[in-house]
Each structure stands twice: as C-alpha cells, then as structure tokens.
Amino acid sequence: MLSPPSGTVDGPVFAFAGGGTGGHLYPALALAQALRQHWEDARFVFFGSSRTIDRQIIEGAGYDLYPQALSGFSARPWRWPKLAFDMLRNAVRCRAWMNALRPDVLIASGGISALLPAWEARRRRIPILVMNPDAIPGRANRLLVRRASLVCVQWGESIAQFPATVELRVTGCPVRSRFNEVDRHAGCAAFGLDPNRRVLLVTGASLGARTLNQAVVAALDLFARRTDWQILHLTGTLDFETVRAAYQQKRVDAKILAYTDEMPEALAAADLVVSRAGASTLAEITAVGRPSILLPYPFHRDNHQFANARCLVRGGAARILGDRIDPAINGPALRELLAQLMDDHAQREQMAAAARRLGRGHAAQEVANCIAELLDGRLKGVACESLKRQPVLAR
C-alpha cells in the first residue's frame, strides 16, 4: 500500500482509474506508453482494485498502484450495504491521494475502481477522459460519462448507447505498441512453436474462461489426427492443471500456459484464434489481423461481449459461437467450426484481411491526441508550449 506522495512533479501527472481485469488495465498501460513518448517527465499513477492482477500488471510495469478494496456491483440487495461501506471507507483514502497527487487529467478505463477517483476529479474540476472499448458501456462507465469531458469509444456502434450531450470520439481501443511490431516468426520463437505448422491460439483473456476451456477440451479429438496444427492454450490459473491433464490424455501437441504477458507474440504466432469477446482482446486481435472464433461470455446481464463480437462478425473478421455452457453442446459445435476453418486457408485469409481493416493499432496515439486537447490551455510552461509546437499525432 502506497502512502500519498510528497514533493512536486515537474511534468504533468496522469491519473488512471479502473482495474480488476486485464481488459481495464492493458489499454491504460498502452495509453501511458504513448503519453510517455511526449512527456518524458510525466508521472503516471493508477487507482486500481486490490485484486492480484492489478499488482501483477501495474506494478510489474513499474507504475505506482493505489489499490481500492471494493466489492463489485450486485443485483442482490443484501450486498448493497457492504458496497456502500466499502465506498465510504475508500473515499477518505482516495481524497487524500488526490489532494497529494493533484493530477492534471484523469483517465477512467472501466470498472468500479474508476468511480471514486472520477468523483474526486470532478470536485476539483480536473478534466476526465473515459475510455469505453465495449460496444455496450458497463455500469461504471454509464455513471461516469455525464461527468466526463470526453468519451473515447472503440466502435461507431457505441455512439447510440450514450446521451446526445456527451462528447464522443471514435478512436479505437489502445493496444501496446508491441502488437504493431512483432511478426509470426518471433511469436513462434517466444513460445517454442514450430513455425512450419499452423497455430491455433485459445485464450480466455487474463482471468481465463472455464466454459471455453471445456469446449476446447471436448473438441480435442479433432487435433489427435491433425499433425499440421499445434495449439497454444492460455487456460487461466484455475483450470490449468485440468486442461493440461486432458491434453496429455488425448496426446495432443500443445503449449499450455496459465497466463502470459506476451500476448503480442501469442497473436502474432496464431493462424486462428478461439477467444472470449472482451473489448481489449478484440482490439488486439484486429490490431494484429487474425481470424477468430468468438465465444462471448454468457453470464453478463447486458450480454455486451456478444455485442462486441458482432462488430467483428459484421466486418467479416470473425465467427460467433454462442456459449451454451454445457461442453456436450459447445464441444461438437466448436469442433465443426474449427474443422471448417482449419481446412479453408482462403477463408482464413479473407477473415484476417477483414480484421486488419477493422484494427486500429494506433488507437493509443489517437486517445493521446484527445488528452493533449484537454491539457491544452490547462498546463503552463514548457510542457504546454511543446505540445502546441509538436502535436502528439498529426491528424
């Protein structure tokens, strides 16, 4: 736990608010990377959650993390008092941090961890930029957008989800620059894969996806007879041992990992991806330009991952397979779709080209431009004058 800092900072202070999943954290890291290129003396701080993944990703990247122990939103009324207590307890701490940090802009990247910092920023008239990568905004972002100076969305389909009074930009979802740099050979080398064989990447995103893992395991007999394909399977921590045992039993060639920080390399190695449809995952898939089979998370009340997946399907970049939860149903359906795409190189190439057309690998610079506009006229001295002479990204 960090104490509020003392002293002054020469450059701008960028505060990021949001966390709990890689989908909230990685776009923020990508944006911080883009901003660092233009404000070398800037400070970056993250108001995240108390989950392990926040410490792993944010502190692992060398940034200051201010964790908030908050229970999540719930439709069960008996859980509301705990959430209210958590918010009150963390509000005092968040206020002290904001008083000490005095950020120049606050970037909300999603999740309940964004609420308190954004409310404190609004009290101080600090500009707030909300990143909304999902086609349908989550509950936290729906609360935040009316307080925001600007909302950046990934897809044009999202515009209708917001009040007409909200200032919007379609920028894409920031992805780390590495996604624009790595090639297939480097990707295969990173995981010890044979570059002369096709690669199927299976990923449930940063926390894993049990029903997706079960569906793939139920379809493994397809790969027992296919020596021309190999699998890179990212299981999540909870299912790692079970999935690994299933592959060993079926004698299927695969590289099985619970988690990897090397997603740019994983996607670069892939010829076909089976994945959930989280917004940041889809931004990464399209930035690299890979065909995909998407099993949207089936338990969200608003089914927003299905709406995300449709953005790719309408563009011809992906196929949707509805997650029926039961592996006895999901397995055969996935097996049929895999067999079709694995044997149809031309179709995969068409889908890959469509994904590249949808991809916005430079979204981080686009959002950085928006932040530059918010800062212009607010920052004083060298940083502001430098910004006026040299925009973050030419339009």
Side-chain angles (χ1 to χ4, degrees), residues 303-328:
N303 211 13
H304 69 262
Q305 284 204 5
F306 188 84
N308 293 343
R310 282 189 306 190
C311 294
L312 268 65
V313 171
R314 281 197 288 264
R319 303 282 186 86
I320 293 180
L321 180 62
D323 188 341
R324 303 290 295 277
I325 303 172
D326 185 352

PDB file of all heavy atoms in Angstrom, residues 303-328:
ATOM      1  N   ASN A 303     -25.137  -8.854 -21.855  1.00  0.00           N
ATOM      2  CA  ASN A 303     -24.577  -9.632 -22.973  1.00  0.00           C
ATOM      3  C   ASN A 303     -23.665  -8.776 -23.847  1.00  0.00           C
ATOM      4  O   ASN A 303     -23.658  -8.901 -25.075  1.00  0.00           O
ATOM      5  CB  ASN A 303     -25.701 -10.237 -23.810  1.00  0.00           C
ATOM      6  CG  ASN A 303     -25.299 -11.559 -24.450  1.00  0.00           C
ATOM      7  OD1 ASN A 303     -24.283 -12.149 -24.087  1.00  0.00           O
ATOM      8  ND2 ASN A 303     -26.084 -12.018 -25.390  1.00  0.00           N
ATOM      9  N   HIS A 304     -22.857  -7.932 -23.213  1.00  0.00           N
ATOM     10  CA  HIS A 304     -22.087  -6.967 -24.004  1.00  0.00           C
ATOM     11  C   HIS A 304     -20.988  -7.628 -24.835  1.00  0.00           C
ATOM     12  O   HIS A 304     -20.601  -7.087 -25.880  1.00  0.00           O
ATOM     13  CB  HIS A 304     -21.502  -5.870 -23.109  1.00  0.00           C
ATOM     14  CG  HIS A 304     -20.423  -6.315 -22.179  1.00  0.00           C
ATOM     15  ND1 HIS A 304     -20.651  -6.630 -20.864  1.00  0.00           N
ATOM     16  CD2 HIS A 304     -19.093  -6.491 -22.373  1.00  0.00           C
ATOM     17  CE1 HIS A 304     -19.515  -6.978 -20.295  1.00  0.00           C
ATOM     18  NE2 HIS A 304     -18.552  -6.899 -21.184  1.00  0.00           N
ATOM     19  N   GLN A 305     -20.478  -8.788 -24.411  1.00  0.00           N
ATOM     20  CA  GLN A 305     -19.467  -9.438 -25.242  1.00  0.00           C
ATOM     21  C   GLN A 305     -20.058  -9.921 -26.565  1.00  0.00           C
ATOM     22  O   GLN A 305     -19.360  -9.938 -27.591  1.00  0.00           O
ATOM     23  CB  GLN A 305     -18.796 -10.590 -24.498  1.00  0.00           C
ATOM     24  CG  GLN A 305     -17.793 -10.144 -23.456  1.00  0.00           C
ATOM     25  CD  GLN A 305     -16.759 -11.203 -23.145  1.00  0.00           C
ATOM     26  OE1 GLN A 305     -16.704 -12.274 -23.768  1.00  0.00           O
ATOM     27  NE2 GLN A 305     -15.906 -10.929 -22.170  1.00  0.00           N
ATOM     28  N   PHE A 306     -21.317 -10.286 -26.565  1.00  0.00           N
ATOM     29  CA  PHE A 306     -21.959 -10.656 -27.827  1.00  0.00           C
ATOM     30  C   PHE A 306     -22.041  -9.438 -28.745  1.00  0.00           C
ATOM     31  O   PHE A 306     -21.791  -9.541 -29.955  1.00  0.00           O
ATOM     32  CB  PHE A 306     -23.355 -11.224 -27.574  1.00  0.00           C
ATOM     33  CG  PHE A 306     -24.007 -11.801 -28.794  1.00  0.00           C
ATOM     34  CD1 PHE A 306     -23.736 -13.093 -29.199  1.00  0.00           C
ATOM     35  CD2 PHE A 306     -24.884 -11.046 -29.557  1.00  0.00           C
ATOM     36  CE1 PHE A 306     -24.320 -13.631 -30.338  1.00  0.00           C
ATOM     37  CE2 PHE A 306     -25.481 -11.567 -30.690  1.00  0.00           C
ATOM     38  CZ  PHE A 306     -25.200 -12.862 -31.083  1.00  0.00           C
ATOM     39  N   ALA A 307     -22.354  -8.286 -28.179  1.00  0.00           N
ATOM     40  CA  ALA A 307     -22.387  -7.055 -28.981  1.00  0.00           C
ATOM     41  C   ALA A 307     -20.994  -6.720 -29.507  1.00  0.00           C
ATOM     42  O   ALA A 307     -20.842  -6.274 -30.656  1.00  0.00           O
ATOM     43  CB  ALA A 307     -22.940  -5.902 -28.146  1.00  0.00           C
ATOM     44  N   ASN A 308     -19.952  -6.939 -28.691  1.00  0.00           N
ATOM     45  CA  ASN A 308     -18.579  -6.739 -29.170  1.00  0.00           C
ATOM     46  C   ASN A 308     -18.277  -7.648 -30.351  1.00  0.00           C
ATOM     47  O   ASN A 308     -17.726  -7.211 -31.374  1.00  0.00           O
ATOM     48  CB  ASN A 308     -17.577  -7.049 -28.054  1.00  0.00           C
ATOM     49  CG  ASN A 308     -17.630  -6.071 -26.898  1.00  0.00           C
ATOM     50  OD1 ASN A 308     -18.180  -4.981 -27.013  1.00  0.00           O
ATOM     51  ND2 ASN A 308     -17.066  -6.469 -25.775  1.00  0.00           N
ATOM     52  N   ALA A 309     -18.620  -8.925 -30.193  1.00  0.00           N
ATOM     53  CA  ALA A 309     -18.320  -9.907 -31.240  1.00  0.00           C
ATOM     54  C   ALA A 309     -19.018  -9.560 -32.547  1.00  0.00           C
ATOM     55  O   ALA A 309     -18.456  -9.747 -33.634  1.00  0.00           O
ATOM     56  CB  ALA A 309     -18.723 -11.307 -30.774  1.00  0.00           C
ATOM     57  N   ARG A 310     -20.223  -9.032 -32.456  1.00  0.00           N
ATOM     58  CA  ARG A 310     -20.959  -8.682 -33.684  1.00  0.00           C
ATOM     59  C   ARG A 310     -20.249  -7.618 -34.493  1.00  0.00           C
ATOM     60  O   ARG A 310     -20.370  -7.576 -35.722  1.00  0.00           O
ATOM     61  CB  ARG A 310     -22.377  -8.227 -33.336  1.00  0.00           C
ATOM     62  CG  ARG A 310     -23.332  -9.359 -33.017  1.00  0.00           C
ATOM     63  CD  ARG A 310     -24.744  -8.860 -32.909  1.00  0.00           C
ATOM     64  NE  ARG A 310     -24.854  -7.762 -31.955  1.00  0.00           N
ATOM     65  CZ  ARG A 310     -26.007  -7.263 -31.527  1.00  0.00           C
ATOM     66  NH1 ARG A 310     -27.137  -7.747 -31.974  1.00  0.00           N
ATOM     67  NH2 ARG A 310     -26.027  -6.272 -30.663  1.00  0.00           N
ATOM     68  N   CYS A 311     -19.505  -6.749 -33.827  1.00  0.00           N
ATOM     69  CA  CYS A 311     -18.752  -5.722 -34.556  1.00  0.00           C
ATOM     70  C   CYS A 311     -17.740  -6.375 -35.490  1.00  0.00           C
ATOM     71  O   CYS A 311     -17.507  -5.889 -36.602  1.00  0.00           O
ATOM     72  CB  CYS A 311     -18.051  -4.789 -33.575  1.00  0.00           C
ATOM     73  SG  CYS A 311     -19.163  -3.778 -32.561  1.00  0.00           S
ATOM     74  N   LEU A 312     -17.130  -7.476 -35.065  1.00  0.00           N
ATOM     75  CA  LEU A 312     -16.176  -8.182 -35.910  1.00  0.00           C
ATOM     76  C   LEU A 312     -16.884  -9.034 -36.946  1.00  0.00           C
ATOM     77  O   LEU A 312     -16.444  -9.117 -38.102  1.00  0.00           O
ATOM     78  CB  LEU A 312     -15.244  -9.056 -35.060  1.00  0.00           C
ATOM     79  CG  LEU A 312     -13.929  -8.404 -34.610  1.00  0.00           C
ATOM     80  CD1 LEU A 312     -14.213  -7.233 -33.669  1.00  0.00           C
ATOM     81  CD2 LEU A 312     -13.017  -9.419 -33.946  1.00  0.00           C
ATOM     82  N   VAL A 313     -17.969  -9.661 -36.552  1.00  0.00           N
ATOM     83  CA  VAL A 313     -18.690 -10.530 -37.490  1.00  0.00           C
ATOM     84  C   VAL A 313     -19.248  -9.709 -38.647  1.00  0.00           C
ATOM     85  O   VAL A 313     -19.171 -10.119 -39.814  1.00  0.00           O
ATOM     86  CB  VAL A 313     -19.815 -11.291 -36.756  1.00  0.00           C
ATOM     87  CG1 VAL A 313     -20.704 -12.029 -37.748  1.00  0.00           C
ATOM     88  CG2 VAL A 313     -19.212 -12.282 -35.762  1.00  0.00           C
ATOM     89  N   ARG A 314     -19.811  -8.534 -38.349  1.00  0.00           N
ATOM     90  CA  ARG A 314     -20.341  -7.695 -39.419  1.00  0.00           C
ATOM     91  C   ARG A 314     -19.251  -7.264 -40.388  1.00  0.00           C
ATOM     92  O   ARG A 314     -19.519  -7.043 -41.566  1.00  0.00           O
ATOM     93  CB  ARG A 314     -21.036  -6.468 -38.825  1.00  0.00           C
ATOM     94  CG  ARG A 314     -22.438  -6.746 -38.305  1.00  0.00           C
ATOM     95  CD  ARG A 314     -23.202  -5.454 -38.115  1.00  0.00           C
ATOM     96  NE  ARG A 314     -22.700  -4.714 -36.965  1.00  0.00           N
ATOM     97  CZ  ARG A 314     -23.230  -4.770 -35.746  1.00  0.00           C
ATOM     98  NH1 ARG A 314     -24.269  -5.552 -35.516  1.00  0.00           N
ATOM     99  NH2 ARG A 314     -22.724  -4.065 -34.762  1.00  0.00           N
ATOM    100  N   GLY A 315     -18.023  -7.150 -39.891  1.00  0.00           N
ATOM    101  CA  GLY A 315     -16.911  -6.791 -40.761  1.00  0.00           C
ATOM    102  C   GLY A 315     -16.278  -7.974 -41.467  1.00  0.00           C
ATOM    103  O   GLY A 315     -15.330  -7.789 -42.226  1.00  0.00           O
ATOM    104  N   GLY A 316     -16.770  -9.188 -41.200  1.00  0.00           N
ATOM    105  CA  GLY A 316     -16.243 -10.376 -41.861  1.00  0.00           C
ATOM    106  C   GLY A 316     -14.982 -10.937 -41.232  1.00  0.00           C
ATOM    107  O   GLY A 316     -14.307 -11.780 -41.832  1.00  0.00           O
ATOM    108  N   ALA A 317     -14.651 -10.501 -39.998  1.00  0.00           N
ATOM    109  CA  ALA A 317     -13.384 -10.889 -39.376  1.00  0.00           C
ATOM    110  C   ALA A 317     -13.492 -12.065 -38.429  1.00  0.00           C
ATOM    111  O   ALA A 317     -12.472 -12.613 -38.012  1.00  0.00           O
ATOM    112  CB  ALA A 317     -12.803  -9.696 -38.612  1.00  0.00           C
ATOM    113  N   ALA A 318     -14.717 -12.460 -38.065  1.00  0.00           N
ATOM    114  CA  ALA A 318     -14.873 -13.476 -37.022  1.00  0.00           C
ATOM    115  C   ALA A 318     -16.159 -14.254 -37.222  1.00  0.00           C
ATOM    116  O   ALA A 318     -17.044 -13.852 -37.981  1.00  0.00           O
ATOM    117  CB  ALA A 318     -14.861 -12.823 -35.639  1.00  0.00           C
ATOM    118  N   ARG A 319     -16.241 -15.375 -36.508  1.00  0.00           N
ATOM    119  CA  ARG A 319     -17.467 -16.161 -36.386  1.00  0.00           C
ATOM    120  C   ARG A 319     -17.851 -16.206 -34.910  1.00  0.00           C
ATOM    121  O   ARG A 319     -16.980 -16.316 -34.045  1.00  0.00           O
ATOM    122  CB  ARG A 319     -17.253 -17.591 -36.894  1.00  0.00           C
ATOM    123  CG  ARG A 319     -16.764 -17.694 -38.331  1.00  0.00           C
ATOM    124  CD  ARG A 319     -17.876 -17.470 -39.336  1.00  0.00           C
ATOM    125  NE  ARG A 319     -17.409 -17.706 -40.700  1.00  0.00           N
ATOM    126  CZ  ARG A 319     -17.387 -18.895 -41.289  1.00  0.00           C
ATOM    127  NH1 ARG A 319     -17.784 -19.984 -40.628  1.00  0.00           N
ATOM    128  NH2 ARG A 319     -16.946 -19.012 -42.522  1.00  0.00           N
ATOM    129  N   ILE A 320     -19.128 -16.134 -34.636  1.00  0.00           N
ATOM    130  CA  ILE A 320     -19.628 -16.239 -33.266  1.00  0.00           C
ATOM    131  C   ILE A 320     -20.133 -17.661 -33.025  1.00  0.00           C
ATOM    132  O   ILE A 320     -20.863 -18.219 -33.849  1.00  0.00           O
ATOM    133  CB  ILE A 320     -20.771 -15.250 -32.990  1.00  0.00           C
ATOM    134  CG1 ILE A 320     -20.271 -13.813 -33.026  1.00  0.00           C
ATOM    135  CG2 ILE A 320     -21.396 -15.529 -31.617  1.00  0.00           C
ATOM    136  CD1 ILE A 320     -21.363 -12.777 -32.766  1.00  0.00           C
ATOM    137  N   LEU A 321     -19.758 -18.209 -31.875  1.00  0.00           N
ATOM    138  CA  LEU A 321     -20.312 -19.465 -31.401  1.00  0.00           C
ATOM    139  C   LEU A 321     -20.924 -19.181 -30.032  1.00  0.00           C
ATOM    140  O   LEU A 321     -20.206 -18.849 -29.083  1.00  0.00           O
ATOM    141  CB  LEU A 321     -19.231 -20.539 -31.283  1.00  0.00           C
ATOM    142  CG  LEU A 321     -19.689 -21.913 -30.788  1.00  0.00           C
ATOM    143  CD1 LEU A 321     -20.694 -22.522 -31.754  1.00  0.00           C
ATOM    144  CD2 LEU A 321     -18.499 -22.841 -30.607  1.00  0.00           C
ATOM    145  N   GLY A 322     -22.246 -19.252 -29.943  1.00  0.00           N
ATOM    146  CA  GLY A 322     -22.905 -18.982 -28.674  1.00  0.00           C
ATOM    147  C   GLY A 322     -22.489 -19.991 -27.617  1.00  0.00           C
ATOM    148  O   GLY A 322     -22.514 -21.196 -27.857  1.00  0.00           O
ATOM    149  N   ASP A 323     -22.065 -19.494 -26.460  1.00  0.00           N
ATOM    150  CA  ASP A 323     -21.633 -20.362 -25.367  1.00  0.00           C
ATOM    151  C   ASP A 323     -22.878 -20.877 -24.645  1.00  0.00           C
ATOM    152  O   ASP A 323     -23.535 -20.150 -23.914  1.00  0.00           O
ATOM    153  CB  ASP A 323     -20.727 -19.578 -24.411  1.00  0.00           C
ATOM    154  CG  ASP A 323     -20.082 -20.454 -23.356  1.00  0.00           C
ATOM    155  OD1 ASP A 323     -20.580 -21.577 -23.123  1.00  0.00           O
ATOM    156  OD2 ASP A 323     -19.073 -20.026 -22.772  1.00  0.00           O
ATOM    157  N   ARG A 324     -23.155 -22.170 -24.832  1.00  0.00           N
ATOM    158  CA  ARG A 324     -24.317 -22.792 -24.197  1.00  0.00           C
ATOM    159  C   ARG A 324     -23.979 -23.361 -22.824  1.00  0.00           C
ATOM    160  O   ARG A 324     -24.809 -24.059 -22.227  1.00  0.00           O
ATOM    161  CB  ARG A 324     -24.860 -23.889 -25.105  1.00  0.00           C
ATOM    162  CG  ARG A 324     -25.251 -23.422 -26.515  1.00  0.00           C
ATOM    163  CD  ARG A 324     -26.487 -22.551 -26.487  1.00  0.00           C
ATOM    164  NE  ARG A 324     -27.625 -23.315 -26.036  1.00  0.00           N
ATOM    165  CZ  ARG A 324     -28.359 -24.109 -26.842  1.00  0.00           C
ATOM    166  NH1 ARG A 324     -28.049 -24.212 -28.140  1.00  0.00           N
ATOM    167  NH2 ARG A 324     -29.381 -24.773 -26.367  1.00  0.00           N
ATOM    168  N   ILE A 325     -22.763 -23.133 -22.354  1.00  0.00           N
ATOM    169  CA  ILE A 325     -22.285 -23.514 -21.024  1.00  0.00           C
ATOM    170  C   ILE A 325     -21.986 -25.004 -20.918  1.00  0.00           C
ATOM    171  O   ILE A 325     -20.977 -25.407 -20.335  1.00  0.00           O
ATOM    172  CB  ILE A 325     -23.267 -23.065 -19.920  1.00  0.00           C
ATOM    173  CG1 ILE A 325     -23.480 -21.535 -19.995  1.00  0.00           C
ATOM    174  CG2 ILE A 325     -22.757 -23.453 -18.539  1.00  0.00           C
ATOM    175  CD1 ILE A 325     -24.565 -21.014 -19.077  1.00  0.00           C
ATOM    176  N   ASP A 326     -22.801 -25.837 -21.508  1.00  0.00           N
ATOM    177  CA  ASP A 326     -22.635 -27.291 -21.454  1.00  0.00           C
ATOM    178  C   ASP A 326     -21.589 -27.733 -22.474  1.00  0.00           C
ATOM    179  O   ASP A 326     -21.773 -27.545 -23.678  1.00  0.00           O
ATOM    180  CB  ASP A 326     -23.981 -27.959 -21.757  1.00  0.00           C
ATOM    181  CG  ASP A 326     -23.940 -29.470 -21.606  1.00  0.00           C
ATOM    182  OD1 ASP A 326     -22.839 -30.031 -21.407  1.00  0.00           O
ATOM    183  OD2 ASP A 326     -25.014 -30.090 -21.685  1.00  0.00           O
ATOM    184  N   PRO A 327     -20.474 -28.362 -22.039  1.00  0.00           N
ATOM    185  CA  PRO A 327     -19.452 -28.796 -23.002  1.00  0.00           C
ATOM    186  C   PRO A 327     -19.950 -29.860 -23.973  1.00  0.00           C
ATOM    187  O   PRO A 327     -19.405 -29.990 -25.067  1.00  0.00           O
ATOM    188  CB  PRO A 327     -18.324 -29.335 -22.111  1.00  0.00           C
ATOM    189  CG  PRO A 327     -18.948 -29.604 -20.786  1.00  0.00           C
ATOM    190  CD  PRO A 327     -20.058 -28.617 -20.649  1.00  0.00           C
ATOM    191  N   ALA A 328     -20.979 -30.594 -23.597  1.00  0.00           N
ATOM    192  CA  ALA A 328     -21.541 -31.594 -24.506  1.00  0.00           C
ATOM    193  C   ALA A 328     -22.211 -30.941 -25.711  1.00  0.00           C
ATOM    194  O   ALA A 328     -22.359 -31.565 -26.760  1.00  0.00           O
ATOM    195  CB  ALA A 328     -22.552 -32.477 -23.765  1.00  0.00           C
TER     196      ALA A 328
END
